[in-house]
């Protein structure tokens, strides 16, 4: 037994490894535990996969991202990719510990990658400074696991929808666990999304905390808080003065202008407390970040990634919320899939049609599907209406399509989106010409 | 790696796959095609292929704003329904809850917006503003003050403003139904 272990650790030892480097991690990987999955193969197999094969993508190199990268590298992941579109700001340095004074202004992804590679020998971190939307399906397909440490709902929705869409019935590798961490002040959450199997990010959209907004009439007439003055400057004054020019919350000149307007208004209403930081905070909807919350949530996320990569313990099912406002409280529950979720809900069917059939005939076929009970279907292709039942103008402008042949309107493999008042989900119809 | 694919095979939902349309667009399709607008409201799409940008015209058939025709632009972003649509009045009108730039004070457009609401709720809310202008949430303070002080004076001001008249030195757009 001892020999086997010696051989196994040698097999996966690189030039930068030293004796007992992974001593503590190996305690988990060399033997099964009481709740280990049956498929767990202790020893060489699992270590080789974790250290030589597993490719993991981290989205976001901010407060959560720095913690996630450090944790991954120290738990034995060696092929890590990181995407972040931001550059380092001086206000990041208190908690984003992979960055130093000299790095201010440089891309977060690049600096984080350099730091981790230098500090943890043998780990390869591949940075990409840019948007997640720059990358295509082929890019995301190369990873085994994706971890998100983001602060934007929009980016999460995009990543979630992309991974759900990636799932290909013919290819088991296309199903990638998505681990999503999020923090707001003392609160945080870590969740596991198995695209198309568990509830997805879009399923839980209605659980999100609302952004702080103030009634527009209060802003316009009866400001009482410094925030009201800043909102007045950004929501009412900016469009009044600059018209269609978009406010860029990352542009210091824009923030400065807002600050000046807000200060003048605050003065006329005897309100104090309008500062540069508050202005930026209100405009960008910044909630103060707490380093310890990030550390806890990042640890939970990386633990899930480790369990997925190694099968060493059951994974989180599927939502852990953490509250540190008073005492330390966590609650884990199974968030359920929403059947009418626009991303993972719904259903897709292949329909065999003839090119010379008219769209009207396809509509009739839909209505005849007894299990669906559709009566007034509306159809679109890539977001553009093919036939809408309402509103009247679109009904009229798309009505001529009913008389057109499917060969003119569609191509093989197109997916038509069908909605109907009676259908509690969205139906996808994959076109197959016969 | 944990073999999650095997779980998938057992799932009945194995055939499910999402169409390549953005969630916002799906939701807008559902909202629009299930709109049941009264004859006092009409939508117009400058480009019928772009369902995320359109205008709504409201022509109240009762109340103080009867005979007026009011147009609002709707701009829906890709984060709908997490974000509410951006709604603005395209005309300069005399109304306590609409300012001279066209900003509208309707709670569900901002602080009370929730993803469970839809385009229909907003349109109904807008129409309600013309039936029951609200002096408590003013954006046009002058108009709100007039309404609070004397409803009949306010009402005749409204009538004059609809024809393009001026009230207290401010001229308003002529918005009478053609």
């Amino acid at each position: 037994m001892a020999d086997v272990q010696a051989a196994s650790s040698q097999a996966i030892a690189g030039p930068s490894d030293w004796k007992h480097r992974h001593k503590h991690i190996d305690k988990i990987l060399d033997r099964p535990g009481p709740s280990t999955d049956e498929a767990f193969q202790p020893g060489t197999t699992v270590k080789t996969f974790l250290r030589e094969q597993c490719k993991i993508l981290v989205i976001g190199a901010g407060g959560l991202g720095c913690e996630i990268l450090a944790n991954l590298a120290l738990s034995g992941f060696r092929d890590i990719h990181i995407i972040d579109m931001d550059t380092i700001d001086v206000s990041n340095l208190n908690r984003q510990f992979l960055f130093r004074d000299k790095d201010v202004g440089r891309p977060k992804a690049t600096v984080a990658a350099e730091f981790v590679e230098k500090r943890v020998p043998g780990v390869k971190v591949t940075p990409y400074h840019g948007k997640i939307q720059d990358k295509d399906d082929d890019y995301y397909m190369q990873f085994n696991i994706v971890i998100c440490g983001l602060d934007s709902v929009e980016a999460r929705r995009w990543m979630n929808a992309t991974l759900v869409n990636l799932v290909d019935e013919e290819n088991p590798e296309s199903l990638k666990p998505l681990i999503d961490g999020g923090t707001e002040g003392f609160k945080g959450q870590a969740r596991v999304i198995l695209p198309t199997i568990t509830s997805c990010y879009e399923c839980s959209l209605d659980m999100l905390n609302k952004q702080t907004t103030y009634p527009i009439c209060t802003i316009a007439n009866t400001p009482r808080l410094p925030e009201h003055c800043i909102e007045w400057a950004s929501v009412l004054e900016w469009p009044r003065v600059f018209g269609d020019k978009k406010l860029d919350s990352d542009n210091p000149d824009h923030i400065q202008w807002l600050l000046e307007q807000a200060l003048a208004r605050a003065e006329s209403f005897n309100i104090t407390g309008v500062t540069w930081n508050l202005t930026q905070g209100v405009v960008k909807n910044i909630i103060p970040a707490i380093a310890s919350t990030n550390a806890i949530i990042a640890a939970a996320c990386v633990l899930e990634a480790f369990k997925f990569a190694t099968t060493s313990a059951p994974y989180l099912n599927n939502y852990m919320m953490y509250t540190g406002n008073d005492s330390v409280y966590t609650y884990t529950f199974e968030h359920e899939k929403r059947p009418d979720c626009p991303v993972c809900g719904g259903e897709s069917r292949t329909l065999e049609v003839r090119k010379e059939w008219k769209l009207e005939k396809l509509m009739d076929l839909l209505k005849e599907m007894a299990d669906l009970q559709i009566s007034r279907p509306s159809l679109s292709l890539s977001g553009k209406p093919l036939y809408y039942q309402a509103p009247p103008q679109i009904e009229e402008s798309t009505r001529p399509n009913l008389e057109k042949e499917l060969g003119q309107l569609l191509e093989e493999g197109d997916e038509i989106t069908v909605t109907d008042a009676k259908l509690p989900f969205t139906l996808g119809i994959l076109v197959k010409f016969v | 790696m944990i073999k999650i694919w095997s779980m998938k095979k057992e799932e009945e939902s194995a055939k499910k796959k999402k169409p390549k349309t953005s969630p916002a667009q799906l939701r807008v399709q559902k909202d629009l095609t299930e709109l049941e607008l009264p004859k006092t409201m009409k939508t117009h799409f400058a480009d019928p292929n772009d369902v995320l940008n359109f205008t709504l015209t409201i022509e109240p058939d009762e109340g103080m704003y009867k005979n007026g025709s009011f147009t609002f632009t709707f701009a829906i972003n890709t984060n709908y329904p997490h974000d509410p649509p951006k709604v603005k009045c395209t005309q300069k009108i005399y109304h306590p809850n609409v300012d001279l730039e066209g900003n509208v004070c309707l709670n569900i457009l901002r602080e009370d917006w929730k993803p469970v609401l839809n385009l229909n709720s907003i349109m109904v809310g807008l129409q309600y503003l013309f039936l029951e202008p609200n002096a408590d949430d003013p954006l046009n303070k002058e108009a709100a003050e007039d309404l609070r002080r004397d409803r009949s004076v306010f009402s005749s001001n409204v009538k004059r403003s609809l024809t393009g008249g001026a009230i207290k030195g401010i001229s308003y757009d002529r918005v009478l139904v053609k």
Side-chain angles (χ1 to χ4, degrees):
Chain A
M1 191 65 202
D3 285 341
V4 175
Q5 282 198 10
S8 73
S9 59
Q10 197 158 27
I12 52 164
S16 58
D17 278 324
W18 53 91
K19 211 179 171 191
H20 304 312
R21 171 173 184 172
H22 294 293
K23 188 178 165 192
H24 301 289
I25 296 283
D26 286 351
K27 284 183 179 159
I28 301 168
L29 299 182
D30 280 330
R31 60 189 177 217
S35 48
T36 313
D37 194 277
E38 285 169 24
F40 180 61
Q41 294 172 293
T44 317
T45 318
V46 63
K47 288 185 205 168
T48 307
F49 179 78
L50 176 66
R51 291 165 198 167
E52 307 294 317
Q53 291 161 3
C54 189
K55 208 167 181 181
I56 187 160
L57 174 65
V58 182
I59 320 265
L64 273 173
C66 282
E67 301 270 2
I68 290 171
L69 285 173
N71 290 346
L72 285 174
L74 295 172
S75 353
F77 287 88
R78 293 193 177 189
D79 190 354
I80 306 171
H81 290 240
I82 171 81
I83 303 186
D84 196 297
M85 60 186 278
D86 269 350
T87 51
I88 297 161
D89 185 84
V90 72
S91 66
N92 302 146
L93 300 179
N94 68 338
R95 63 191 186 284
Q96 299 177 20
F97 52 81
L98 303 177
F99 314 140
R100 297 289 177 265
D101 282 328
K102 63 174 170 41
D103 302 319
V104 169
R106 294 185 62 209
K108 286 187 176 179
T110 319
V111 176
E114 282 168 10
F115 192 106
V116 172
E117 284 194 345
K118 204 169 148 204
R119 183 72 178 77
V120 193
V123 173
K124 194 166 136 258
V125 185
T126 314
Y128 175 69
H129 173 224
K131 299 175 114 184
I132 46 174
Q133 289 87 346
D134 299 343
K135 300 290 189 184
D136 59 10
D137 284 0
D138 286 346
Y139 173 83
Y140 290 108
M141 195 60 112
Q142 64 179 310
F143 300 103
N144 298 101
I145 302 167
V146 179
I147 305 192
C148 282
L150 288 161
D151 58 359
S152 126
V153 172
E154 201 167 351
R156 280 199 180 87
R157 284 178 81 185
W158 190 89
M159 202 59 247
N160 176 64
T162 301
L163 290 184
V164 173
N165 277 330
L166 207 58
V167 178
D168 173 358
E169 299 310 317
E170 312 293 313
N171 177 14
E173 299 296 313
S174 66
L175 207 159
K176 326 237 170 240
L178 169 64
I179 301 161
D180 179 54
T183 65
E184 266 190 4
F186 283 107
K187 295 179 187 167
Q189 110 274 325
R191 66 188 295 190
V192 165
I193 294 168
L194 304 179
T196 71
I197 296 176
T198 67
S199 102
C200 77
Y201 186 71
E202 195 81 18
C203 290
S204 61
L205 212 58
D206 53 0
M207 285 171 54
L208 285 175
N209 279 335
K210 271 200 316 189
Q211 275 194 9
T212 322
T213 43
Y214 306 97
I216 200 159
C217 2
T218 306
I219 301 168
N221 297 310
T222 51
R224 297 179 305 277
L225 301 171
E227 287 86 349
H228 292 157
C229 303
I230 296 163
E231 284 270 281
W232 172 82
S234 63
V235 176
L236 296 172
E237 277 301 276
W238 180 275
R240 194 180 67 79
V241 174
F242 295 106
D244 284 338
K245 186 174 155 192
K246 227 179 150 231
L247 176 75
D248 177 5
S249 57
D250 289 320
N251 183 331
D253 295 339
H254 291 192
I255 299 289
Q256 182 64 31
W257 187 88
L258 294 179
L259 172 64
E260 285 160 15
Q261 309 304 313
L263 272 172
R265 185 167 174 83
E267 200 180 354
S268 66
F269 283 90
N270 279 323
I271 297 167
T272 53
V274 175
T275 61
W276 169 279
N277 271 342
L278 187 70
T279 307
Q280 198 188 32
V282 169
V283 176
K284 297 179 93 167
N285 197 38
I286 295 175
I287 292 153
I290 311 256
S292 53
T293 313
N294 283 340
I296 291 165
I297 295 302
C301 289
V302 171
L303 189 60
E304 291 312 313
F306 182 82
K307 291 191 286 186
F308 272 112
T310 62
T311 331
S312 56
Y315 55 85
L316 174 73
N317 184 26
N318 51 30
Y319 199 116
M320 188 276 286
M321 51 169 274
Y322 160 76
T323 315
N325 294 51
D326 51 349
S327 80
V328 173
Y329 176 73
T330 76
Y331 181 68
T332 299
F333 62 98
E334 184 179 350
H335 187 271
E336 289 192 21
K337 245 179 122 133
R338 255 181 53 195
D340 60 344
C341 171
V343 170
C344 75
E347 199 176 318
S348 190
R349 301 183 180 195
T350 304
L351 202 61
E352 296 190 344
V353 295
R354 292 186 179 280
K355 281 191 174 168
E356 64 272 17
W357 283 359
K358 291 179 177 156
L359 186 63
E360 195 152 29
K361 166 128 185 166
L362 191 141
M363 299 261 296
D364 290 339
L365 286 176
L366 289 173
K367 291 180 204 166
E368 281 163 20
M369 293 180 167
D371 56 333
L372 292 178
Q373 296 286 315
I374 297 177
S375 58
R376 299 181 70 232
S378 291
L379 280 59
S380 68
L381 184 65
S382 317
K384 291 181 185 152
L386 273 178
Y387 180 73
Y388 270 20
Q389 302 279 353
Q393 184 205 351
I394 301 223
E395 194 279 327
E396 208 171 294
S397 73
T398 53
R399 202 183 305 147
N401 285 346
L402 293 177
E403 294 301 313
K404 286 188 189 154
E405 291 182 359
L406 296 178
Q408 285 174 272
L409 296 165
L410 308 167
E411 282 174 38
E412 178 86 25
D414 272 350
E415 184 154 325
I416 305 173
T417 304
V418 183
T419 60
D420 183 283
K422 290 191 185 153
L423 205 59
F425 55 84
T426 315
L427 175 69
I429 293 291
L430 270 167
V431 178
K432 192 173 175 216
F433 287 123
V434 287
Chain B
M1 271 297 279
I2 290 186
K3 299 275 176 280
I4 45 180
W5 189 256
S6 54
M7 294 173 45
K8 186 164 175 61
K9 289 277 130 108
E10 297 157 18
E11 284 270 324
E12 205 194 336
S13 63
K15 281 194 283 305
K16 291 182 181 176
K17 191 170 182 288
K18 183 240 157 208
K20 298 245 186 283
T21 312
S22 80
Q25 266 165 334
L26 284 180
R27 190 39 210 276
V28 171
Q29 172 170 339
K30 201 139 174 70
D31 278 13
L32 283 177
T33 55
E34 289 165 31
L35 270 183
E36 285 180 16
L37 292 181
K39 60 182 193 319
T40 49
M41 287 196 271
K42 212 184 228 168
T43 50
H44 176 77
F45 296 78
D47 171 6
N49 277 328
D50 175 11
V51 292
L52 300 181
N53 293 286
F54 57 90
T55 62
L56 171 77
T57 304
I58 304 179
E59 299 183 346
D61 59 0
E62 57 179 314
M64 292 182 273
Y65 287 89
K66 193 180 169 182
N67 297 326
S69 178
F70 308 97
T71 306
F72 294 86
T73 53
F74 278 64
I76 301 169
N77 70 20
T78 53
N79 219 9
Y80 183 78
H82 181 64
D83 291 350
K86 290 215 167 19
V87 176
K88 278 199 143 193
C89 182
T90 62
Q91 304 136 322
K92 192 172 168 190
I93 62 170
Y94 174 77
H95 191 292
N97 312 110
V98 181
D99 73 11
L100 303 181
E101 271 77 43
N103 296 302
V104 184
C105 189
L106 181 65
N107 62 338
I108 54 170
L109 280 178
R110 274 178 72 82
E111 69 274 13
D112 291 332
W113 170 257
K114 300 182 201 78
V116 292
L117 296 172
N118 56 28
L119 294 175
N120 202 62
S121 351
I122 292 176
M123 294 177 183
V124 170
L126 288 173
Q127 167 153 282
Y128 186 71
L129 283 184
F130 290 102
L131 302 178
E132 283 296 333
N134 172 5
D136 296 331
D137 298 327
L139 264 186
N140 181 335
K141 264 195 283 188
E142 302 275 339
E145 195 50 42
D146 295 343
L147 172 60
R148 200 175 304 129
R149 209 177 303 129
D150 188 335
R151 211 178 155 86
S152 63
V153 171
F154 174 78
S155 176
S156 66
N157 282 354
V158 169
K159 296 260 163 350
R160 192 158 78 248
S161 76
L162 297 183
T163 62
I167 291 130
K168 293 189 178 152
I170 300 170
S171 64
Y172 290 93
D173 288 348
R174 184 183 162 88
V175 290
L176 282 179
V177 179
K178 277 162 200 135

